[in-house]
Amino acid sequence: MRLYILTLLLFIAGFYSAQAQDVKFTARAQSAVVVGDKFQLQYTLNKEGSDIRLPALQDFQILMGPSTSYSNSTSIVNGKVTRETSYTYTYILKALKEGQFTIPPATVKVDDEKVSSNSVSLKVVKGDAQAQQQNQQSQAAGSVPSDDDLFITVTPSKKNLYQGESLVLTTKIYTKVQIDGLSDIKQPELSAFIAQSLQGQGNNSWSMENVNGRTYQVNTYEQKLLFPQKSGKITIEPTEIEFLIRQRVARSRSRSIFDDFFESNYRTVKKKVRSKPIAINVKPLPSGRPEGYTGGVGQLSMKASVNKNDVSVNDGVTLKVVVNGTGNHKFIEDPQIKFPADFDDFDAKISNSISNTAGGMKGSKTYEYLMIPRHAGEFTIPSIKFAYFNPKSGKYETSESGPISITVAKGEGTAESTSGIIRSNVSKENVKFIGKDIRFIKTGKTLLKPTGTFFIGSLIYYLVLLVPLSLFILLFIINQKRIKDNANVSLMKTKKANKVAIKRLKKSAQFLKSGEKEAFYEEVLRALWGYLSDKLSLPLSELSKDNAGEILAKSDVSDEVIAEIMEILDTCEFARYAPASGTGEMDKLYNQTIATISKLENQIKR
């Protein structure tokens, strides 16, 4: 009995809670319809209402409505009662003419208050009843649909762009027949591009479009973000898709009125369709690249800051550099920073907050550098310059951080200099400067030695003086050579190329362990391209699969090693978009890349 009363009280509490909920009056309809076709316009209300009124609908005819349906549900979770009520009002409308229309909000009375719905947008496209009738007759006869009934298009968002600038490649399916699925897909090689999958693609929503007077069901099959890696005229070969089409088979004599409900009255046929080839004109980046250019193309900006400007000796300082905007973020090299000589600096920790969209690669890339000052004083990090090419203006632009000042104080336990002053436990008046005070006369016995027996002036004395001088001259020569080598950026990059490649491959090893396939192959590509760029003293933007082999051949690299490099590049490009690879294949590629870089290191002598 108590349980019954408790349940009743909870139900009553839930009922009043539902009464107090906000009123929601929602309108919805399909996004596209054909002229003359019927469609539903539905309004949903979460409380009981009355006197529903539609707006004026001059471009539509109301054929029926409203038909009303009602539903409710009650749930109790952790003692909390939730009751949902829904009233649905359905109208049947007919579109009278083509165009883009917006149905204004409807109104309904709830508790003597007028509540408005949202507006609804829909597109009305031109119909082709005659073509539909011919299509039905064609299917009934069992023939393969024509190219006008089913085709695909591959469309670039732009056909003229700069090297490194992004474009979106969109593949759409247009059909007037019922598609059961796909049996085969052949996509073109995009070796001249770096391709990225677009976020949010793969939804199977269909819409309607009228093309040359015919109405089609349209689906966006795929979208890719492409970054051209070389200049010139590039042709994207056609995409080829084989469709499975479900057709109804006509019978000369029907044995039963139920025959139409069975699968025996249908068959599946295959139809292969191809898109048209696409010509893309890629313009090279202008000459005269400014200081601080690291391969950025797009609309970008850069900011730099430190987490604190006042520190003590041996305290860590974090320098954060953030590149933000729309551009080729993943292919930008690290910014060029001149750290103070008295600071120990470490490799950057890089984090990405990037999304691939139809507007390009958007977001930010953050570099965090740890610095440790070893001496006290006032230090300045020179203004960090980040140069990039802006395709909209057709010019190089530079974003600067401005100089960053850091004050380093002496830490606890650090020695203090005495400036040549002798300190003792005496008063300030007794502190004397060496060489300025009268020396005391020594008393007592003095031991005299013959001339020539003193250490000062002897051969050993002069040899001892000569050794430090020789060491100083030797260190000076070594330091000058080091400064000269550091000034030759190309030479330093060449010497460090192998170390940098191995360091990047270590990062790909982390992705290998965690099973992040796309990140692993992308990092292997970056390591190999970065190694070739540094070793051959060429900007990354001037390297491509087409010219890398020729340049390596001129550097006396064997054909076998060149073939291995090309095989690694092809494997990485295809593996990122192929079905998931096994860990064994990824591990084999990792070891092959290390071995190939070692062979290159032995063959390229720079």
Side-chain angles (χ1 to χ4, degrees):
M1 185 65 180
R2 290 181 179 178
L3 181 61
Y4 174 78
I5 295 174
L6 178 60
T7 304
L8 181 61
L9 290 174
L10 290 174
F11 182 83
I12 294 172
F15 177 79
Y16 284 108
S17 174
Q19 293 297 316
Q21 64 184 339
D22 295 335
V23 178
K24 295 180 181 179
F25 188 36
T26 307
R28 67 176 183 272
Q30 59 195 82
S31 59
V33 296
V34 177
V35 172
D37 279 5
K38 303 171 186 177
F39 67 96
Q40 289 186 346
L41 174 63
Q42 289 187 334
Y43 294 91
T44 304
L45 184 65
N46 63 342
K47 292 183 69 174
E48 185 175 4
S50 61
D51 194 20
I52 183 170
R53 293 181 180 271
L54 293 183
L57 302 173
Q58 295 91 345
D59 302 308
F60 302 92
Q61 180 183 355
I62 301 176
L63 302 178
M64 189 184 74
S67 59
T68 307
S69 61
Y70 168 78
S71 66
N72 64 26
S73 62
T74 303
S75 60
I76 303 175
V77 180
N78 296 328
K80 183 178 180 181
V81 180
T82 303
R83 184 170 184 266
E84 294 182 355
T85 304
S86 177
Y87 295 86
T88 303
Y89 305 91
T90 303
Y91 293 85
I92 304 298
L93 306 184
K94 178 180 178 180
L96 300 179
K97 63 180 181 180
E98 61 179 304
Q100 185 71 41
F101 300 98
T102 298
I103 298 177
T107 61
V108 67
K109 281 188 177 181
V110 178
D111 298 334
D112 294 329
E113 291 187 7
K114 185 180 291 186
V115 179
S116 298
S117 70
N118 56 291
S119 57
V120 177
S121 296
L122 74 161
K123 184 179 182 181
V124 181
V125 298
K126 185 179 179 181
D128 54 336
Q130 183 179 359
Q132 289 178 6
Q133 185 177 1
Q134 291 174 354
N135 182 49
Q136 290 172 359
Q137 293 173 354
S138 174
Q139 289 190 34
S143 63
V144 177
S146 69
D147 291 341
D148 290 333
D149 294 329
L150 176 63
F151 62 90
I152 61 173
T153 62
V154 180
T155 309
S157 58
K158 57 188 81 168
K159 291 188 176 181
N160 289 281
L161 69 161
Y162 286 96
Q163 183 175 338
E165 184 183 357
S166 66
L167 66 92
V168 178
L169 199 65
T170 304
T171 303
K172 284 187 174 184
I173 300 171
Y174 290 79
T175 181
K176 297 179 69 62
V177 296
Q178 185 176 354
I179 297 175
D180 258 3
L182 312 178
S183 61
D184 189 29
I185 303 172
K186 292 182 181 179
Q187 294 185 322
E189 284 189 31
L190 300 172
S191 56
F193 302 87
I194 292 180
Q196 299 282 306
S197 298
L198 226 61
Q199 292 184 346
Q201 68 169 356
N203 54 19
N204 294 319
S205 60
W206 292 79
S207 61
M208 288 185 177
E209 288 186 24
N210 190 283
V211 181
N212 298 326
R214 304 191 71 188
T215 305
Y216 292 88
Q217 292 283 340
V218 183
N219 176 261
T220 299
Y221 172 70
E222 183 183 50
Q223 284 187 304
K224 289 181 179 178
L225 196 62
L226 303 183
F227 295 87
Q229 298 302 293
K230 67 176 185 179
S231 58
K233 186 177 180 180
I234 302 174
T235 300
I236 300 177
E237 297 300 324
T239 296
E240 188 175 284
I241 302 179
E242 187 174 65
F243 291 94
L244 299 176
I245 302 169
R246 189 167 185 257
Q247 285 187 337
R248 184 176 176 181
V249 179
R251 293 178 179 270
S252 57
R253 180 184 299 173
S254 179
R255 293 172 296 174
S256 170
I257 61 173
F258 299 104
D259 283 348
D260 291 342
F261 295 97
F262 293 94
E263 290 296 326
S264 59
N265 289 332
Y266 292 88
R267 72 169 187 170
T268 299
V269 298
K270 294 182 179 181
K271 180 174 175 61
K272 189 175 292 185
V273 298
R274 286 166 55 94
S275 65
K276 295 179 181 179
I278 304 168
I280 305 293
N281 180 39
V282 181
K283 296 174 284 187
L285 297 181
S287 58
R289 296 174 182 175
E291 179 186 357
Y293 180 74
T294 55
V297 178
Q299 290 78 52
L300 302 166
S301 63
M302 182 273 300
K303 291 183 179 180
S305 61
V306 291
N307 62 335
K308 47 189 173 183
N309 297 94
D310 296 294
V311 296
S312 299
V313 172
N314 298 328
D315 281 353
V317 183
T318 301
L319 171 65
K320 181 185 287 186
V321 180
V322 181
V323 177
N324 189 59
T326 302
N328 57 343
H329 286 276
K330 290 186 178 180
F331 318 114
I332 298 175
E333 297 180 358
D334 297 353
Q336 301 169 2
I337 303 173
K338 297 178 181 178
F339 295 97
D342 293 316
F343 281 39
D344 288 342
D345 58 274
F346 300 87
D347 291 340
K349 176 186 175 184
I350 303 175
S351 57
N352 292 310
S353 179
I354 300 169
S355 58
N356 297 324
T357 69
M361 191 180 286
K362 295 183 178 181
S364 62
K365 188 174 186 179
T366 303
Y367 305 83
E368 291 183 289
Y369 299 87
L370 175 62
M371 307 177 297
I372 300 178
R374 298 305 186 189
H375 297 90
E378 296 285 340
F379 299 93
T380 300
I381 300 175
S383 180
I384 302 171
K385 295 183 179 180
F386 174 74
Y388 60 95
F389 180 76
N390 188 341
K392 288 189 175 180
S393 63
K395 298 178 181 178
Y396 290 102
E397 298 178 5
T398 302
S399 180
E400 292 194 46
S401 66
I404 300 173
S405 300
I406 300 175
T407 302
V408 182
K410 295 176 182 178
E412 295 182 3
T414 56
E416 295 182 1
S417 61
T418 58
S419 303
I421 299 176
I422 300 176
R423 298 181 184 272
S424 60
N425 295 325
V426 293
S427 62
K428 290 183 180 180
E429 289 75 13
N430 290 328
V431 176
K432 306 294 182 181
F433 286 90
I434 296 175
K436 291 188 177 182
D437 195 18
I438 298 174
R439 297 180 180 178
F440 294 100
I441 299 174
K442 292 185 177 181
T443 59
K445 296 181 180 181
T446 303
L447 182 63
L448 301 177
K449 294 182 179 181
T451 305
T453 60
F454 289 99
F455 174 73
I456 298 176
S458 64
L459 178 61
I460 298 176
Y461 171 75
Y462 288 110
L463 288 174
V464 171
L465 290 180
L466 188 61
V467 169
L469 179 62
S470 301
L471 289 174
F472 173 78
I473 294 173
L474 180 62
L475 291 174
F476 178 79
I477 294 172
I478 294 173
N479 188 55
Q480 288 299 313
K481 184 177 182 304
R482 184 180 63 82
I483 293 173
K484 185 178 179 180
D485 289 345
N486 288 339
N488 190 341
V489 177
S490 175
L491 179 62
M492 292 302 294
K493 278 191 173 184
T494 301
K495 288 182 177 181
K496 295 180 180 179
N498 192 41
K499 292 182 180 179
V500 172
I502 297 301
K503 186 183 295 183
R504 286 176 174 170
L505 283 174
K506 287 181 179 178
K507 189 173 181 181
S508 68
Q510 297 174 1
F511 293 129
L512 174 61
K513 291 179 181 178
S514 60
E516 298 180 52
K517 170 198 159 190
E518 185 174 347
F520 166 77
Y521 287 112
E522 185 175 312
E523 195 61 34
V524 171
L525 270 179
R526 288 193 63 185
L528 189 53
W529 280 120
Y531 171 79
L532 292 175
S533 173
D534 293 341
K535 198 67 182 176
L536 299 174
S537 302
L538 287 173
L540 191 60
S541 57
E542 293 183 8
L543 277 175
S544 67
K545 285 175 62 179
D546 295 332
N547 63 10
E550 298 176 3
I551 297 172
L552 288 171
K554 292 179 182 178
S555 300
D556 298 328
V557 178
S558 66
D559 294 339
E560 179 187 355
V561 175
I562 294 175
E564 289 180 10
I565 292 172
M566 295 304 164
E567 181 184 354
I568 293 171
L569 294 175
D570 289 338
T571 301
C572 290
E573 285 291 341
F574 290 117
R576 288 189 299 171
Y577 309 105
S581 304
T583 306
E585 295 179 17
M586 294 164 67
D587 187 60
K588 179 180 177 182
L589 179 68
Y590 176 78
N591 294 326
Q592 182 185 357
T593 305
I594 293 178
T596 303
I597 289 176
S598 299
K599 293 178 184 177
L600 274 174
E601 192 68 18
N602 293 329
Q603 294 187 18
I604 299 179
K605 303 297 183 183
R606 293 201 172 209

